[in-house]
Amino acid sequence: MATKAEQRERTRAVILELATQAFAERGYAGVALEDLVAEAGLTRGALYHHFGSKQALFRAVLEAAQARVARAVEVAAAAAGDPLAGFLDGCRAFLEASLSPGVRRILLVDGPAVLGWDDWRSGDLDTSAGLLDEGVAELAAAGVISSHRLRTVATMISGALNEVAVANAAAADAPGEIDAAVETLARMLTGLSPLDAA
């Protein structure tokens, strides 16, 4: 027999799963909490007990999506044989994960709008942007790029990757666009080699 703590965790997981699907399909504005609690077979009070508000529920969904994407990036980067290949594989993993409507819409479209730029950026800094900072630092330590202005380099790459991820929503050949983006990024990084640094 499940303990109350286990039951609470199960209920929370069910709400998160249903909310993730709903926010991915209908967007934040298109989701009514009444529909979610009906789908979950819960009362509105149970949902508020776990999350407090629609925005708090969305934040939990977004944080779970950020963690999944960050894990995919880490796994891809760790499997590569050298820092540059690992960095590019991590960027590719981010773009591939962003093909999922849930990731793209929740993280890149509704996230900044619902939470506000500062809150959204704070969560991004703890996950994807943090990994990007680490990857850029590893490239510099390995001598692949200059160690000059690494924060600026990471910020520019982050912005570019986010834009490619959003643009791929309408791309006829999203996998081809990902290949092109990773190839372009590799060429850009070549231009940041220590030999070319001023």
Side-chain angles (χ1 to χ4, degrees):
M1 187 167 182
T3 66
K4 287 190 178 192
E6 290 169 338
Q7 289 172 339
R8 279 193 301 271
E9 273 307 303
R10 258 201 310 270
T11 300
R12 188 175 197 282
V14 167
I15 294 169
L16 274 176
E17 184 178 339
L18 290 172
T20 299
Q21 184 177 352
F23 288 134
E25 292 173 359
R26 302 192 296 270
Y28 181 81
V31 173
L33 292 184
E34 292 80 8
D35 296 339
L36 281 179
V37 295
E39 288 177 51
L42 300 170
T43 65
R44 193 175 174 107
L47 188 141
Y48 281 119
H49 170 75
H50 287 279
F51 296 101
S53 69
K54 181 179 175 182
Q55 188 178 44
L57 173 59
F58 180 80
R59 182 186 300 275
V61 166
L62 183 137
E63 288 171 353
Q66 285 174 322
R68 284 192 306 276
V69 171
R71 183 67 187 136
V73 168
E74 287 177 319
V75 168
D82 65 82
L84 179 58
F87 186 82
L88 294 173
D89 287 352
C91 291
R92 177 182 296 279
F94 169 78
L95 292 173
E96 289 173 348
S98 297
L99 291 179
S100 158
V103 170
R104 187 179 56 255
R105 186 166 200 169
I106 291 167
L107 287 188
L108 303 174
V109 178
D110 283 351
V114 172
L115 300 181
W117 174 256
D118 290 337
D119 280 356
W120 176 83
R121 185 68 177 146
S122 175
D124 189 51
L125 288 172
D126 291 339
T127 53
S128 296
L131 290 173
L132 198 53
D133 284 341
E134 290 173 19
V136 166
E138 288 172 10
L139 291 178
V144 176
I145 64 172
S146 165
S147 60
H148 184 67
R149 301 277 189 180
L150 294 182
R151 178 84 281 268
T152 300
V153 171
T155 299
M156 291 181 75
I157 293 170
S158 176
L161 290 174
N162 286 343
E163 286 299 314
V164 170
V166 171
N168 277 347
D173 178 22
E177 294 299 327
I178 290 174
D179 290 342
V182 172
E183 180 185 326
T184 301
L185 178 56
R187 290 200 315 272
M188 289 168 59
L189 290 171
T190 299
L192 297 174
S193 72
L195 295 177
D196 294 334

